[in-house]
Structures are given as structure tokens and as C-alpha cells.
Amino acid sequence: MTLPNRVVTHYLFPICIFLLSACSSLSPLHNADSRQSGVHNQEDTGAPTAEEMSYLEIEPEQQLAEELAALEKTGAWEPGKLDNTPQPVNEVTFDFPITINKQVQFYLDQFQGKQRRHFSRWLARSTQYQDDIETELQKAGLPLDLVYLAMIESGFNPSAYSYAHAAGLWQFIRGTGRNYGLRIDTWVDERREPKKSTQAAIKYLSFLHKEFGDWYLAVAAYNAGEGKIGRAIKKYKTRDFWQLASHRYLALETKRYVPKLIAAIIIAREPAKYGFTDIPYKKPVQYDTIELPPATDLAAVAVTAATSVEKLRKLNNELRKNQTPPGKKEYLLRIPEGSKELVAQNLNRLHPVITTAYKTHKVGKGDTITGVCRKYKINKTILLKANDLRTASLKRGQRLRIPYRTTKYVLLAKGETPESRFASAGKDGEMILHTLKRGETLSKIAKQYDVPVSVIMQWNDIKNVRKIRAGHHLALFLDNGVNSFTNSMALTNQLKKGSIVTLNDQKKWPGSNAEGNRIWYKVQNGDSLWTIAKKFQVSARQLRQWNNLANNLIHPGTKLVIKNG
């Protein structure tokens, strides 16, 4: 693809400030009759998540309508003409075609007037990404001035998200983003990763310029879709953007896109000339990278890097959760500059700490136990036990304790091991040895004890799950202090070392009584089949069999029979 060389344009613009409506950096540029893959204007059924909604910088519909109404009053859309009046001028080099007309002047005035605050913020952010974007544009042979397309798309905000479901610096919707190589799923949204989204935008812009042979048409198609622009060319038999814009076929939201970009380029190349002299420009973010296994918790990385999860999320803006994606591939994570060596030193000292915490739910009108359980993704037994409830009836205004598991990470002291830390817990700690049976997997064991697979692997220094065999012993550490991995069926009554009861010392277990070769036990609040089985040194399967239980669900007050021998 052959592109024009950078051209030198001489210009002098009168600085006229009209009091027109302001808009923010994004607008819901959704053209209802678009049929093709414009960045904005393709149907996208994915609703924004709560997290995405928090990043919205949307132009209110009322302000958008006011701006478009004011733009309409500028009159006919015609090609611009340079002012050749002999006056002192500055020489500025552009490599995107610069035209001055009423519509371009409208946005020059907007950016210096009511949109000045927004434009100042865009300029301040621009220096974080400009060098990297221009480097990629230069590699592709595209005009460097296209860097400011990201300015009018997102205000250089990689987290920007619009109601049209467009995201990132370049405001891709899902379909177009995926078409140009971006990964977008529940774990990762590469539209929000500056480098990868820039490469995708460059591919798309290269395609559009090759398709239309004109940069005005190419950037208009970036907004409206190549199908819309192609039909406009066919309908009016012209490839002149300004002639197409003089007709009503193209939406005003699309027509404004070209003059808005031109005005942004003009001011951004010489901001001081237009009064932007006090901009707090931001420096490009510097970082190191490390390769991490799948499903690595960012909280663990934060501890090793002496940083926070929030800072890691900012450096890895494409991640949608606080962990690296699951799967088979390692993930290249960005960490604060200078912390790579620190992470390497601290990895072997890292130790997970999991506890049970509680949030409060206030019962509202129409709330039911089933509905509350569904909302918080817990089962009915857990909720009843956590609140010492014997029935499922709720009262409006009642406050429920909602248990959930929290995870944090600590660094072991020099020379300290997980075993020594648990040993130092003394009476509050317990280690359970689990013997692997044929056909058992770590996933099955993790579910049984409600412990993450990754933690079991760390406890037992397992590097490869394929190498574990039947007969191997797994150490599972449970204690009642801060180092507790709680069982989901016993959130309120955890095991303590020394509380294991045999048939010979059943009197130590409150609620139990002997009858011949049997022991009867009355289920208490917080009990689970698993905890009872462990305390009486039998299996949960045996308890189900002896008591004709169809599953592991038990309720306070139920009497269970414990057989001897």
C-alpha cells in the first residue's frame, strides 16, 4: 500500500470561541442502519459488566443532541480552503490531509471552549501512549497523525467503555475486535490492552485505506462501517467525503467524525498556540514482565512484588478478574518496573491464608432463602447454619450473615516453612493425611475438602499433577486460626486439633450417647457430614449408608447412628 509522504501545510486560523455544548470523550456512536463491521456500529449483544460500567465516559444524549444541532447550523458541508492572506504563519508538518472548513472550525472552537477541560485531559493522557502508537504506525507505513484517532475515540483512556459496547483506546466492539485478533472472553478483554488494541486498529485502518484509497473515507468507515460508506459511494457516485457529507445518507454522528479528528490533530500538534500551556502531561508507564502459570491469583503476585492488586490491574488492564486466565498457557504479566527480581526472590516464601468472612444481607420484600442462596451462590444448609436458623422463613428487615471465603497471602520468614508455621500453631493446627485412591484426582479431592487445587499443590510441592499416583499421601493443613481452609459445609464450626473422638472416648463429644455397639449423635449447628465423619474416624460414605442418607445434607436436630467397628 502506497501512502502519501508527510506534507507541509501553512495555515493561520482565527481563534473564535463560541459557547457551544460540551461533550465527553466518548459518545454512543450507533448508526441504526449500518450493516457492516464499523468499530462502533455493529450489533453487540454483550451487556457491560458492573466493572465496565464504572469506566464509562459517555457523552450524555442531551449534550450530544445539542452539539449536533449546533454543528448542523454551520451550513453546507464543503471542502475547506486555506487562508492565503499574507500574515505571519507557523509551519506545521502533517501526514494526514488537513482541510479547514466550517465544520473543522466548529470543533477547533469546541475544543478551545466548552470542551477545553476534556481536551486538556486528553492531551495529558496522550503522552502515556503516543510514542508507542506512533512507533506502530510508522512500522505499518500509516500517517503518524492517526495517533489522535485514539484521542477522539477514547480520550486516550484504555478503560473507556460506551453504551454501544465499544471498549478501549480504539473503541472496538467485540465482533470487530475478534476479527482483528483480539482475545475477548470472560477472563481477558484485549480491547483494553493498549499495545494489542493499537495493532488491531492499525490492521483495520490499513484495510479501510486500501478499500477506499482515501483517509477521510477510511476514518469515516472506521466509525460507520465499510458497508455504509461503500453504499454511500455507490448511491452518490463520488469518492469525495465532503460531497458525501453534503447529503443526508450518512448520519451526522459519522459526518462529524472527520472534522473532529482534523481539529484534534491541528491543536494536538501545536497545543500552546491554542492556549493549552498548563497541561500536566503524564509519563509513559514503565514495567517489567514475568511469566506466570494459569489461574495465578494477582493478590499473590502483589505480595511478592510489594505492590497492590489495584496497581497490577492498571498495568494489566485487559484482565477482567483478579487472576491470570486458566488454561494450559503461561501468562505474561506486567509488574512494576524494578520488581522482577523481588518477585523471583519472594515466590518460594509465599504462603496462602484463607479464612471465612461474612457480609450482611438485609431481607427485603419478596426475599426467600432460595433467592438469597442463588444471589450469593451458597447452598441452603450453609446459610441456615451460618445464621443459626431452624426454618427457611424470613422476616422483612432481618439481617443475614452471608459467609464467604477470603484469601490473602503472606511471606514466610527467612528459614520458615509452611510445615513449621503450622507446627508453631500448636493446638490450633491440624494436618490431615489423605491417601490417594485409584481414579482420584486433585480436583475431586479439592472439592471434597473445599480447598483450591493450587493450594494442595503448593502444600505438597506438586509441580506436575500427572505425576501423582494412587497410594501417595497428600498433606492437607486445617486449623482454626488465620491459616484456615474452611469446609463449605462447616463454616461456623471448624475442626480443632485434639477434638477427634473415637468410640472409646465418645463422652468427649457433646450430643452423643452410646447404645450397645452404636453411638447416636444429634447434629449441632455448624456440623457437616464430613466433620462428623472425621471426628468419629469413619467415612462420610459409611454415615450415609448407616443412616440411609441420599446425599450429604444434614440438619440440626437430626440423630445420626454411628456403628462400632
Side-chain angles (χ1 to χ4, degrees), residues 373-562:
C373 288
R374 185 181 299 116
K375 178 178 180 179
Y376 295 103
K377 299 180 180 179
I378 59 176
N379 66 51
K380 188 179 298 185
T381 302
I382 293 176
L383 186 60
L384 291 173
K385 290 179 179 178
N387 292 276
D388 198 21
L389 297 176
R390 295 184 178 275
T391 67
S393 60
L394 299 177
K395 295 180 181 179
R396 190 173 180 179
Q398 180 180 1
R399 294 182 180 274
L400 297 176
R401 300 174 75 217
I402 308 297
Y404 65 96
R405 190 170 60 192
T406 63
T407 305
K408 68 176 182 178
Y409 296 85
V410 297
L411 294 178
L412 298 174
K414 187 175 181 180
E416 187 179 21
T417 65
E419 291 78 8
S420 66
R421 170 164 288 197
F422 277 110
S424 66
K427 63 180 181 180
D428 292 328
E430 181 179 48
M431 181 182 75
I432 296 175
L433 284 178
H434 180 96
T435 304
L436 277 169
K437 302 177 181 64
R438 187 177 300 276
E440 272 192 331
T441 64
L442 283 188
S443 296
K444 184 177 180 180
I445 296 166
K447 185 176 181 180
Q448 177 182 345
Y449 292 97
D450 196 25
V451 178
V453 170
S454 58
V455 173
I456 295 178
M457 293 178 68
Q458 182 180 357
W459 275 342
N460 295 274
D461 197 28
I462 298 173
K463 306 298 184 185
N464 187 344
V465 295
R466 298 177 184 274
K467 293 185 177 181
I468 61 174
R469 297 289 184 270
H472 286 187
H473 294 293
L474 293 179
L476 304 173
F477 296 95
L478 302 174
D479 75 75
N480 199 41
V482 294
N483 301 304
S484 175
F485 286 89
T486 62
N487 181 275
S488 64
M489 296 296 291
L491 291 170
T492 59
N493 188 21
Q494 298 177 34
L495 289 172
K496 291 185 179 179
K497 184 166 181 155
S499 64
I500 292 181
V501 180
T502 68
L503 294 178
N504 294 326
D505 58 5
Q506 53 82 26
K507 292 182 180 179
K508 296 179 183 178
W509 183 257
S512 64
N513 57 76
E515 184 180 303
N517 291 329
R518 294 184 178 183
I519 286 180
W520 291 93
Y521 173 71
K522 187 176 181 180
V523 177
Q524 308 294 308
N525 286 326
D527 282 342
S528 73
L529 207 65
W530 183 81
T531 59
I532 296 170
K534 288 299 177 184
K535 287 182 180 291
F536 283 93
Q537 295 185 329
V538 296
S539 69
R541 181 184 60 79
Q542 287 174 312
L543 287 181
R544 288 195 301 269
Q545 180 182 348
W546 296 337
N547 293 276
N548 296 318
L549 299 177
N551 52 48
N552 289 340
L553 289 179
I554 54 176
H555 301 282
T558 302
K559 280 191 174 183
L560 296 180
V561 61
I562 311 295

Side-chain angles (χ1 to χ4, degrees), residues 234-282:
K234 186 176 180 180
K235 182 179 178 69
Y236 298 109
K237 297 179 174 55
T238 179
R239 287 182 170 268
D240 186 308
F241 168 78
W242 303 107
Q243 289 188 37
L244 294 178
S246 68
H247 299 283
R248 292 195 172 274
Y249 182 71
L250 295 179
L252 190 56
E253 292 94 326
T254 295
K255 288 192 272 189
R256 74 169 181 166
Y257 198 70
V258 172
K260 192 171 185 177
L261 173 60
I262 293 172
I265 292 171
I266 290 171
I267 296 178
R269 288 301 184 196
E270 272 193 312
K273 177 178 178 179
Y274 295 93
F276 293 93
T277 57
D278 54 350
I279 305 301
Y281 288 104
K282 297 184 178 181

Side-chain angles (χ1 to χ4, degrees), residues 200-219:
I202 287 173
K203 290 178 184 177
Y204 189 32
L205 288 165
S206 298
F207 163 76
L208 292 172
H209 187 266
K210 185 176 181 181
E211 180 80 5
F212 297 109
D214 177 88
W215 277 116
Y216 292 165
L217 295 177
V219 297

